[in-house]
Structure formats: C-alpha cells, structure tokens
Amino acid sequence: MTTKPNAWSSLIPDFLVVDYTDIGHRRETNEDSMAWDIGAGVVALADGMGGCRAGEVASAMAVSLFTNAFRCWLDELGVHLLEESPETQAQYLRTWLLMQVQSIHDSILDAAAMIPDCMGMGTTLCGVIIWGDQAWVAHVGDSRVYAYDRDTHVLHRLTRDHSVVQEQIDRGLLTEEMARTSSERHLLTRALGIGDEVVPDITIESFSENKVLVLCTDGMSDVVSESLMARAIRDHPIELAGRLLLSQANTLGGQDNISIVLIEKTKIAAA
C-alpha cells in the first residue's frame, strides 16, 4: 500500500525502502519478518523465537500489527494532527508507540495461549515511523536500528540491546568483542510475548536527505562489523549495499537468519 490520502499526506515524506533476508546456513526456517507501508511512513522488522515455527508466527504478527495499526491510526486521526503543533504531534506519536507495542505484546500472548504449538513464542521488534524530518524508533529486544550520515560517513546505533550481554557490557564485565562470542549473547531481557508487560525504548533521530536508516536482526549485527556496514553504504546505493551486506553475513558463517532493511529519503529535484 503506497497511496497517501490527501488528508494527511503532508505529514509523511517520500522515501525508499529496500529489504533483504536469508535463512542462513544453520536454521531450518526463517523466523525473521519485515513489513512496511511507504504511504503511511512506517517500517518494521522482527526476529522471532520459539519452537515449531512459533517464532515465525510471533515476528509476522508483530510487524503486520505495527504497520497496519499505524495506517489505521493515521486514517482516523491524521487530519486532526495537521491542526496540532509539532509538540502535540510528538505527544500523540509517543503515546501511540507505547500503547501499540503493549497491544502487540498482548496479542502474541493471547495467540500463544490459544495455539499449543505457539506456547512460549516471542519476538524482537524494531518499528520506525518516518514523520517529516524525523524518524521515530520503537525498539524491544536485540534487533538493531542504525543511522548512517552520508556527509560525515559515520554510522551510529540508535538502539541498545535488551540482552544479558549488553547488561554485562554496561557493568564492565564484557567488552563488545567478548560479547560477540559469549554463550549468553542470545539471551534477551526484554521481548514481545515474554512477561506481562513490555515497554519499548523510543528514540527520535533527524531524518534528512543525507541519512540512511538501517534495521537488522542479530544474524547480521553479530557477524558484520559496523565499519563494514558503513563502508558498504558509503560506496554503494542502498539497493546494492543491502545485497552485499547480506552476502557478507552468510560468508561469515550464516549461523542465524539474516535480515536487513535500509531506508533513505527521496531526494527533492532542484527547481
């Protein structure tokens, strides 16, 4: 779905999305999921967990519920948001993100309770809303979102992993390099479908024509260095950069499912 209703089309800039995913060399199924609605300015990526394909169910639920719900929210409130100040719009967005992530969490719990094969399923989630010159990021788990600046050639991470090893890094017990090979690197401290309540981290990043947003699962970030990600985006259009990074992750082992999404604002032609 890419058509923008006239009522709120001015709220959403034009941008390009490319995505690539691969099962890798060790997994029997691909439990990563991605979805987007360019017209509504929303993109989501998730990495599921759980047996009997349940992780695939959880991640697919997360990205579809996130993207579809935002389109419905805009259809209902978009025309009214046009009349509000940027500060009020920001309050609406933050509230929606908090409530929607909890709603998705509850839906996954309900599905797991009703379907025996889905018991214990869960998923990470990176949800991005492109809103004017800003990108709003809601994050749960250890999938990541980065921002690359084409002017400075700097890639920086917008999310902090909700994981045991990240807590150990924060306490000075592990270095980033040690965390890459830790036996506990896949143990999450926060995920959708696990526990009674989940609160996403919310980050706001400027999103101009010189920025590229990168969403990826840990099948990518565990093996491909941030410096290599930056070089690939610096030297190539995002369509080719994504393909090269996916291939590199497989070359470096492909021990997990690998997924990457790149987002770039469409350049405005000079008059």
Side-chain angles (χ1 to χ4, degrees):
M1 184 183 299
T2 59
T3 303
K4 300 179 186 177
N6 292 330
W8 44 261
S9 61
S10 63
L11 297 170
I12 312 299
D14 293 327
F15 61 96
L16 173 67
V17 178
V18 297
D19 77 302
Y20 302 96
T21 188
D22 193 87
I23 194 172
H25 298 317
R26 303 290 181 87
R27 303 291 188 179
E28 295 183 358
T29 60
N30 191 341
E31 296 187 322
D32 292 350
S33 295
M34 297 165 287
W36 64 88
D37 184 334
I38 292 177
V42 58
V43 181
L45 171 144
D47 179 358
M49 65 196 94
C52 298
R53 303 176 68 91
E56 181 180 350
V57 173
S59 66
M61 286 181 64
V63 298
S64 65
L65 288 171
F66 189 87
T67 54
N68 291 338
F70 192 68
R71 161 69 70 162
C72 292
W73 185 74
L74 277 181
D75 284 340
E76 182 177 353
L77 291 180
V79 65
H80 303 293
L81 291 173
L82 287 169
E83 303 169 358
E84 301 290 353
S85 67
E87 293 77 15
T88 300
Q89 291 180 17
Q91 290 176 0
Y92 273 99
L93 281 170
R94 185 176 295 275
T95 299
W96 184 86
L97 287 169
L98 291 170
M99 294 180 64
Q100 184 58 34
V101 170
Q102 180 64 43
S103 176
I104 296 170
H105 176 70
D106 292 341
S107 296
I108 291 173
L109 287 174
D110 290 343
M114 291 186 294
I115 306 171
D117 285 348
C118 291
M119 184 178 298
M121 71 177 177
T123 185
T124 69
L125 175 65
C126 291
V128 175
I129 294 171
I130 306 301
W131 193 265
D133 290 330
Q134 293 180 326
W136 286 69
V137 178
H139 160 250
V140 176
D142 65 350
S143 297
R144 294 181 178 179
V145 181
Y146 296 88
Y148 177 78
D149 190 313
R150 290 198 181 278
D151 291 336
T152 63
H153 306 300
V154 171
L155 179 83
H156 71 278
R157 198 197 317 177
L158 303 180
T159 55
R160 176 186 173 276
D161 294 349
H162 299 137
S163 66
V164 170
V165 295
Q166 183 63 60
E167 291 187 348
Q168 292 172 338
I169 291 170
D170 294 343
R171 293 164 57 193
L173 301 177
L174 288 179
T175 65
E176 291 281 356
E177 287 303 313
M178 292 167 63
R180 286 181 179 271
T181 57
S182 170
S183 60
E184 297 182 321
R185 66 186 181 278
H186 298 302
L187 298 180
L188 300 184
T189 57
R190 200 184 310 180
L192 297 179
I194 308 300
D196 295 328
E197 183 179 5
V198 64
V199 179
D201 290 344
I202 297 175
T203 305
I204 306 170
E205 174 74 5
S206 64
F207 186 57
S208 56
E209 292 180 7
N210 68 325
K211 288 286 183 69
V212 177
L213 300 179
V214 182
L215 291 68
C216 65
T217 58
D218 60 350
M220 173 71 67
S221 59
D222 276 355
V223 295
V224 176
S225 68
E226 293 179 7
S227 61
L228 182 55
M229 288 187 194
R231 286 198 300 273
I233 299 169
R234 180 195 66 192
D235 295 341
H236 304 286
I238 60 172
E239 299 91 336
L240 180 55
R243 292 183 185 278
L244 291 172
L245 291 170
L246 185 75
S247 175
Q248 185 65 21
N250 262 321
T251 300
L252 292 172
Q255 296 185 5
D256 200 351
N257 303 147
I258 309 159
S259 296
I260 185 169
V261 181
L262 297 102
I263 308 169
E264 188 167 29
K265 186 177 286 190
T266 303
K267 296 186 182 298
I268 301 173

PDB file of all heavy atoms in Angstrom, residues 57-85:
ATOM      1  N   VAL A  57       5.649 -17.112  13.567  1.00  0.00           N
ATOM      2  CA  VAL A  57       4.302 -16.582  13.811  1.00  0.00           C
ATOM      3  C   VAL A  57       4.382 -15.280  14.598  1.00  0.00           C
ATOM      4  O   VAL A  57       3.739 -14.280  14.257  1.00  0.00           O
ATOM      5  CB  VAL A  57       3.441 -17.614  14.572  1.00  0.00           C
ATOM      6  CG1 VAL A  57       2.097 -17.003  14.979  1.00  0.00           C
ATOM      7  CG2 VAL A  57       3.228 -18.863  13.731  1.00  0.00           C
ATOM      8  N   ALA A  58       5.184 -15.274  15.658  1.00  0.00           N
ATOM      9  CA  ALA A  58       5.286 -14.090  16.514  1.00  0.00           C
ATOM     10  C   ALA A  58       5.852 -12.896  15.764  1.00  0.00           C
ATOM     11  O   ALA A  58       5.344 -11.771  15.882  1.00  0.00           O
ATOM     12  CB  ALA A  58       6.145 -14.408  17.736  1.00  0.00           C
ATOM     13  N   SER A  59       6.907 -13.109  14.997  1.00  0.00           N
ATOM     14  CA  SER A  59       7.518 -11.980  14.280  1.00  0.00           C
ATOM     15  C   SER A  59       6.583 -11.446  13.194  1.00  0.00           C
ATOM     16  O   SER A  59       6.485 -10.226  13.001  1.00  0.00           O
ATOM     17  CB  SER A  59       8.864 -12.390  13.679  1.00  0.00           C
ATOM     18  OG  SER A  59       8.717 -13.364  12.659  1.00  0.00           O
ATOM     19  N   ALA A  60       5.885 -12.346  12.501  1.00  0.00           N
ATOM     20  CA  ALA A  60       4.941 -11.900  11.466  1.00  0.00           C
ATOM     21  C   ALA A  60       3.792 -11.116  12.084  1.00  0.00           C
ATOM     22  O   ALA A  60       3.339 -10.100  11.521  1.00  0.00           O
ATOM     23  CB  ALA A  60       4.406 -13.098  10.692  1.00  0.00           C
ATOM     24  N   MET A  61       3.311 -11.564  13.238  1.00  0.00           N
ATOM     25  CA  MET A  61       2.269 -10.822  13.939  1.00  0.00           C
ATOM     26  C   MET A  61       2.763  -9.421  14.306  1.00  0.00           C
ATOM     27  O   MET A  61       2.058  -8.425  14.114  1.00  0.00           O
ATOM     28  CB  MET A  61       1.844 -11.554  15.207  1.00  0.00           C
ATOM     29  CG  MET A  61       1.001 -12.778  14.992  1.00  0.00           C
ATOM     30  SD  MET A  61       0.532 -13.556  16.577  1.00  0.00           S
ATOM     31  CE  MET A  61      -0.472 -12.251  17.318  1.00  0.00           C
ATOM     32  N   ALA A  62       3.969  -9.343  14.819  1.00  0.00           N
ATOM     33  CA  ALA A  62       4.492  -8.067  15.312  1.00  0.00           C
ATOM     34  C   ALA A  62       4.581  -7.027  14.197  1.00  0.00           C
ATOM     35  O   ALA A  62       4.123  -5.888  14.348  1.00  0.00           O
ATOM     36  CB  ALA A  62       5.857  -8.277  15.955  1.00  0.00           C
ATOM     37  N   VAL A  63       5.177  -7.401  13.057  1.00  0.00           N
ATOM     38  CA  VAL A  63       5.376  -6.399  12.005  1.00  0.00           C
ATOM     39  C   VAL A  63       4.071  -6.031  11.314  1.00  0.00           C
ATOM     40  O   VAL A  63       3.854  -4.867  10.950  1.00  0.00           O
ATOM     41  CB  VAL A  63       6.437  -6.863  10.975  1.00  0.00           C
ATOM     42  CG1 VAL A  63       7.785  -7.062  11.648  1.00  0.00           C
ATOM     43  CG2 VAL A  63       6.003  -8.123  10.240  1.00  0.00           C
ATOM     44  N   SER A  64       3.172  -7.005  11.136  1.00  0.00           N
ATOM     45  CA  SER A  64       1.908  -6.687  10.464  1.00  0.00           C
ATOM     46  C   SER A  64       1.008  -5.844  11.362  1.00  0.00           C
ATOM     47  O   SER A  64       0.368  -4.887  10.896  1.00  0.00           O
ATOM     48  CB  SER A  64       1.186  -7.963  10.020  1.00  0.00           C
ATOM     49  OG  SER A  64       0.797  -8.748  11.121  1.00  0.00           O
ATOM     50  N   LEU A  65       0.950  -6.186  12.641  1.00  0.00           N
ATOM     51  CA  LEU A  65       0.124  -5.399  13.558  1.00  0.00           C
ATOM     52  C   LEU A  65       0.664  -3.979  13.703  1.00  0.00           C
ATOM     53  O   LEU A  65      -0.102  -3.018  13.774  1.00  0.00           O
ATOM     54  CB  LEU A  65       0.068  -6.078  14.927  1.00  0.00           C
ATOM     55  CG  LEU A  65      -0.765  -7.355  15.004  1.00  0.00           C
ATOM     56  CD1 LEU A  65      -0.569  -8.044  16.359  1.00  0.00           C
ATOM     57  CD2 LEU A  65      -2.245  -7.059  14.779  1.00  0.00           C
ATOM     58  N   PHE A  66       1.977  -3.831  13.735  1.00  0.00           N
ATOM     59  CA  PHE A  66       2.570  -2.500  13.885  1.00  0.00           C
ATOM     60  C   PHE A  66       2.259  -1.627  12.672  1.00  0.00           C
ATOM     61  O   PHE A  66       1.797  -0.480  12.802  1.00  0.00           O
ATOM     62  CB  PHE A  66       4.078  -2.620  14.075  1.00  0.00           C
ATOM     63  CG  PHE A  66       4.755  -1.333  14.457  1.00  0.00           C
ATOM     64  CD1 PHE A  66       4.861  -0.957  15.785  1.00  0.00           C
ATOM     65  CD2 PHE A  66       5.293  -0.505  13.488  1.00  0.00           C
ATOM     66  CE1 PHE A  66       5.476   0.236  16.138  1.00  0.00           C
ATOM     67  CE2 PHE A  66       5.920   0.687  13.835  1.00  0.00           C
ATOM     68  CZ  PHE A  66       6.015   1.054  15.168  1.00  0.00           C
ATOM     69  N   THR A  67       2.504  -2.147  11.473  1.00  0.00           N
ATOM     70  CA  THR A  67       2.326  -1.333  10.269  1.00  0.00           C
ATOM     71  C   THR A  67       0.847  -1.079   9.971  1.00  0.00           C
ATOM     72  O   THR A  67       0.459   0.049   9.644  1.00  0.00           O
ATOM     73  CB  THR A  67       3.000  -1.993   9.054  1.00  0.00           C
ATOM     74  OG1 THR A  67       2.526  -3.337   8.912  1.00  0.00           O
ATOM     75  CG2 THR A  67       4.510  -2.025   9.232  1.00  0.00           C
ATOM     76  N   ASN A  68       0.019  -2.102  10.094  1.00  0.00           N
ATOM     77  CA  ASN A  68      -1.400  -1.924   9.792  1.00  0.00           C
ATOM     78  C   ASN A  68      -2.077  -0.991  10.795  1.00  0.00           C
ATOM     79  O   ASN A  68      -2.931  -0.174  10.422  1.00  0.00           O
ATOM     80  CB  ASN A  68      -2.118  -3.275   9.787  1.00  0.00           C
ATOM     81  CG  ASN A  68      -1.703  -4.149   8.624  1.00  0.00           C
ATOM     82  OD1 ASN A  68      -1.207  -3.657   7.610  1.00  0.00           O
ATOM     83  ND2 ASN A  68      -1.874  -5.457   8.763  1.00  0.00           N
ATOM     84  N   ALA A  69      -1.684  -1.105  12.055  1.00  0.00           N
ATOM     85  CA  ALA A  69      -2.292  -0.255  13.077  1.00  0.00           C
ATOM     86  C   ALA A  69      -1.929   1.209  12.872  1.00  0.00           C
ATOM     87  O   ALA A  69      -2.751   2.104  13.121  1.00  0.00           O
ATOM     88  CB  ALA A  69      -1.860  -0.713  14.471  1.00  0.00           C
ATOM     89  N   PHE A  70      -0.707   1.478  12.397  1.00  0.00           N
ATOM     90  CA  PHE A  70      -0.340   2.872  12.194  1.00  0.00           C
ATOM     91  C   PHE A  70      -1.107   3.473  11.020  1.00  0.00           C
ATOM     92  O   PHE A  70      -1.528   4.631  11.080  1.00  0.00           O
ATOM     93  CB  PHE A  70       1.166   3.024  11.976  1.00  0.00           C
ATOM     94  CG  PHE A  70       1.615   4.461  12.040  1.00  0.00           C
ATOM     95  CD1 PHE A  70       1.567   5.153  13.236  1.00  0.00           C
ATOM     96  CD2 PHE A  70       2.048   5.117  10.898  1.00  0.00           C
ATOM     97  CE1 PHE A  70       1.947   6.492  13.300  1.00  0.00           C
ATOM     98  CE2 PHE A  70       2.433   6.453  10.957  1.00  0.00           C
ATOM     99  CZ  PHE A  70       2.379   7.142  12.167  1.00  0.00           C
ATOM    100  N   ARG A  71      -1.301   2.711   9.957  1.00  0.00           N
ATOM    101  CA  ARG A  71      -2.120   3.185   8.838  1.00  0.00           C
ATOM    102  C   ARG A  71      -3.534   3.502   9.331  1.00  0.00           C
ATOM    103  O   ARG A  71      -4.090   4.561   9.004  1.00  0.00           O
ATOM    104  CB  ARG A  71      -2.137   2.137   7.730  1.00  0.00           C
ATOM    105  CG  ARG A  71      -3.265   2.244   6.720  1.00  0.00           C
ATOM    106  CD  ARG A  71      -3.172   3.445   5.822  1.00  0.00           C
ATOM    107  NE  ARG A  71      -2.085   3.361   4.871  1.00  0.00           N
ATOM    108  CZ  ARG A  71      -2.006   4.110   3.763  1.00  0.00           C
ATOM    109  NH1 ARG A  71      -2.955   4.985   3.495  1.00  0.00           N
ATOM    110  NH2 ARG A  71      -0.980   4.013   2.954  1.00  0.00           N
ATOM    111  N   CYS A  72      -4.120   2.627  10.131  1.00  0.00           N
ATOM    112  CA  CYS A  72      -5.475   2.858  10.644  1.00  0.00           C
ATOM    113  C   CYS A  72      -5.518   4.093  11.543  1.00  0.00           C
ATOM    114  O   CYS A  72      -6.479   4.872  11.502  1.00  0.00           O
ATOM    115  CB  CYS A  72      -5.962   1.630  11.410  1.00  0.00           C
ATOM    116  SG  CYS A  72      -6.246   0.176  10.378  1.00  0.00           S
ATOM    117  N   TRP A  73      -4.470   4.272  12.346  1.00  0.00           N
ATOM    118  CA  TRP A  73      -4.405   5.427  13.249  1.00  0.00           C
ATOM    119  C   TRP A  73      -4.351   6.724  12.456  1.00  0.00           C
ATOM    120  O   TRP A  73      -5.016   7.706  12.786  1.00  0.00           O
ATOM    121  CB  TRP A  73      -3.175   5.275  14.140  1.00  0.00           C
ATOM    122  CG  TRP A  73      -3.026   6.313  15.212  1.00  0.00           C
ATOM    123  CD1 TRP A  73      -3.744   6.429  16.363  1.00  0.00           C
ATOM    124  CD2 TRP A  73      -2.053   7.367  15.243  1.00  0.00           C
ATOM    125  NE1 TRP A  73      -3.292   7.490  17.123  1.00  0.00           N
ATOM    126  CE2 TRP A  73      -2.244   8.084  16.445  1.00  0.00           C
ATOM    127  CE3 TRP A  73      -1.037   7.767  14.371  1.00  0.00           C
ATOM    128  CZ2 TRP A  73      -1.462   9.181  16.798  1.00  0.00           C
ATOM    129  CZ3 TRP A  73      -0.258   8.859  14.723  1.00  0.00           C
ATOM    130  CH2 TRP A  73      -0.470   9.559  15.921  1.00  0.00           C
ATOM    131  N   LEU A  74      -3.558   6.739  11.395  1.00  0.00           N
ATOM    132  CA  LEU A  74      -3.484   7.924  10.553  1.00  0.00           C
ATOM    133  C   LEU A  74      -4.814   8.199   9.861  1.00  0.00           C
ATOM    134  O   LEU A  74      -5.243   9.350   9.742  1.00  0.00           O
ATOM    135  CB  LEU A  74      -2.385   7.767   9.509  1.00  0.00           C
ATOM    136  CG  LEU A  74      -0.958   8.093   9.936  1.00  0.00           C
ATOM    137  CD1 LEU A  74      -0.015   7.895   8.763  1.00  0.00           C
ATOM    138  CD2 LEU A  74      -0.838   9.507  10.468  1.00  0.00           C
ATOM    139  N   ASP A  75      -5.463   7.141   9.393  1.00  0.00           N
ATOM    140  CA  ASP A  75      -6.759   7.324   8.739  1.00  0.00           C
ATOM    141  C   ASP A  75      -7.762   7.960   9.695  1.00  0.00           C
ATOM    142  O   ASP A  75      -8.623   8.744   9.289  1.00  0.00           O
ATOM    143  CB  ASP A  75      -7.298   5.982   8.245  1.00  0.00           C
ATOM    144  CG  ASP A  75      -6.588   5.501   6.986  1.00  0.00           C
ATOM    145  OD1 ASP A  75      -5.966   6.348   6.297  1.00  0.00           O
ATOM    146  OD2 ASP A  75      -6.653   4.301   6.692  1.00  0.00           O
ATOM    147  N   GLU A  76      -7.643   7.628  10.970  1.00  0.00           N
ATOM    148  CA  GLU A  76      -8.592   8.129  11.963  1.00  0.00           C
ATOM    149  C   GLU A  76      -8.227   9.520  12.475  1.00  0.00           C
ATOM    150  O   GLU A  76      -9.093  10.388  12.644  1.00  0.00           O
ATOM    151  CB  GLU A  76      -8.665   7.157  13.145  1.00  0.00           C
ATOM    152  CG  GLU A  76      -9.669   7.565  14.214  1.00  0.00           C
ATOM    153  CD  GLU A  76      -9.758   6.548  15.336  1.00  0.00           C
ATOM    154  OE1 GLU A  76      -9.136   5.480  15.218  1.00  0.00           O
ATOM    155  OE2 GLU A  76     -10.448   6.846  16.330  1.00  0.00           O
ATOM    156  N   LEU A  77      -6.926   9.764  12.719  1.00  0.00           N
ATOM    157  CA  LEU A  77      -6.516  10.991  13.389  1.00  0.00           C
ATOM    158  C   LEU A  77      -5.645  11.926  12.543  1.00  0.00           C
ATOM    159  O   LEU A  77      -5.378  13.043  12.959  1.00  0.00           O
ATOM    160  CB  LEU A  77      -5.738  10.657  14.673  1.00  0.00           C
ATOM    161  CG  LEU A  77      -6.519  10.033  15.819  1.00  0.00           C
ATOM    162  CD1 LEU A  77      -5.588   9.775  17.000  1.00  0.00           C
ATOM    163  CD2 LEU A  77      -7.659  10.941  16.251  1.00  0.00           C
ATOM    164  N   GLY A  78      -5.196  11.467  11.379  1.00  0.00           N
ATOM    165  CA  GLY A  78      -4.246  12.247  10.604  1.00  0.00           C
ATOM    166  C   GLY A  78      -4.708  13.649  10.293  1.00  0.00           C
ATOM    167  O   GLY A  78      -3.949  14.617  10.428  1.00  0.00           O
ATOM    168  N   VAL A  79      -5.961  13.808   9.874  1.00  0.00           N
ATOM    169  CA  VAL A  79      -6.467  15.136   9.532  1.00  0.00           C
ATOM    170  C   VAL A  79      -6.468  16.054  10.741  1.00  0.00           C
ATOM    171  O   VAL A  79      -6.245  17.268  10.630  1.00  0.00           O
ATOM    172  CB  VAL A  79      -7.880  15.030   8.904  1.00  0.00           C
ATOM    173  CG1 VAL A  79      -8.886  14.489   9.907  1.00  0.00           C
ATOM    174  CG2 VAL A  79      -8.303  16.379   8.326  1.00  0.00           C
ATOM    175  N   HIS A  80      -6.696  15.506  11.934  1.00  0.00           N
ATOM    176  CA  HIS A  80      -6.688  16.314  13.147  1.00  0.00           C
ATOM    177  C   HIS A  80      -5.259  16.686  13.546  1.00  0.00           C
ATOM    178  O   HIS A  80      -5.030  17.782  14.076  1.00  0.00           O
ATOM    179  CB  HIS A  80      -7.377  15.573  14.286  1.00  0.00           C
ATOM    180  CG  HIS A  80      -8.786  15.175  13.966  1.00  0.00           C
ATOM    181  ND1 HIS A  80      -9.803  16.099  13.797  1.00  0.00           N
ATOM    182  CD2 HIS A  80      -9.343  13.955  13.754  1.00  0.00           C
ATOM    183  CE1 HIS A  80     -10.932  15.465  13.502  1.00  0.00           C
ATOM    184  NE2 HIS A  80     -10.676  14.172  13.474  1.00  0.00           N
ATOM    185  N   LEU A  81      -4.311  15.790  13.285  1.00  0.00           N
ATOM    186  CA  LEU A  81      -2.926  16.084  13.634  1.00  0.00           C
ATOM    187  C   LEU A  81      -2.369  17.255  12.837  1.00  0.00           C
ATOM    188  O   LEU A  81      -1.472  17.967  13.298  1.00  0.00           O
ATOM    189  CB  LEU A  81      -2.053  14.842  13.405  1.00  0.00           C
ATOM    190  CG  LEU A  81      -2.281  13.671  14.364  1.00  0.00           C
ATOM    191  CD1 LEU A  81      -1.471  12.464  13.922  1.00  0.00           C
ATOM    192  CD2 LEU A  81      -1.920  14.061  15.782  1.00  0.00           C
ATOM    193  N   LEU A  82      -2.899  17.462  11.627  1.00  0.00           N
ATOM    194  CA  LEU A  82      -2.456  18.595  10.819  1.00  0.00           C
ATOM    195  C   LEU A  82      -2.686  19.922  11.526  1.00  0.00           C
ATOM    196  O   LEU A  82      -1.973  20.898  11.291  1.00  0.00           O
ATOM    197  CB  LEU A  82      -3.199  18.596   9.479  1.00  0.00           C
ATOM    198  CG  LEU A  82      -2.796  17.525   8.463  1.00  0.00           C
ATOM    199  CD1 LEU A  82      -3.788  17.493   7.318  1.00  0.00           C
ATOM    200  CD2 LEU A  82      -1.394  17.792   7.944  1.00  0.00           C
ATOM    201  N   GLU A  83      -3.680  19.951  12.403  1.00  0.00           N
ATOM    202  CA  GLU A  83      -4.041  21.188  13.098  1.00  0.00           C
ATOM    203  C   GLU A  83      -3.243  21.377  14.386  1.00  0.00           C
ATOM    204  O   GLU A  83      -3.342  22.430  15.015  1.00  0.00           O
ATOM    205  CB  GLU A  83      -5.539  21.167  13.424  1.00  0.00           C
ATOM    206  CG  GLU A  83      -6.428  20.971  12.197  1.00  0.00           C
ATOM    207  CD  GLU A  83      -7.867  20.693  12.559  1.00  0.00           C
ATOM    208  OE1 GLU A  83      -8.158  20.612  13.781  1.00  0.00           O
ATOM    209  OE2 GLU A  83      -8.694  20.553  11.648  1.00  0.00           O
ATOM    210  N   GLU A  84      -2.468  20.368  14.781  1.00  0.00           N
ATOM    211  CA  GLU A  84      -1.754  20.418  16.054  1.00  0.00           C
ATOM    212  C   GLU A  84      -0.329  20.933  15.884  1.00  0.00           C
ATOM    213  O   GLU A  84       0.263  20.849  14.809  1.00  0.00           O
ATOM    214  CB  GLU A  84      -1.722  19.024  16.694  1.00  0.00           C
ATOM    215  CG  GLU A  84      -3.093  18.422  16.957  1.00  0.00           C
ATOM    216  CD  GLU A  84      -3.834  19.126  18.077  1.00  0.00           C
ATOM    217  OE1 GLU A  84      -3.241  19.992  18.749  1.00  0.00           O
ATOM    218  OE2 GLU A  84      -5.024  18.792  18.288  1.00  0.00           O
ATOM    219  N   SER A  85       0.240  21.405  16.978  1.00  0.00           N
ATOM    220  CA  SER A  85       1.630  21.858  16.978  1.00  0.00           C
ATOM    221  C   SER A  85       2.561  20.654  16.895  1.00  0.00           C
ATOM    222  O   SER A  85       2.153  19.525  17.209  1.00  0.00           O
ATOM    223  CB  SER A  85       1.920  22.634  18.255  1.00  0.00           C
ATOM    224  OG  SER A  85       1.854  21.761  19.379  1.00  0.00           O
TER     225      SER A  85
END
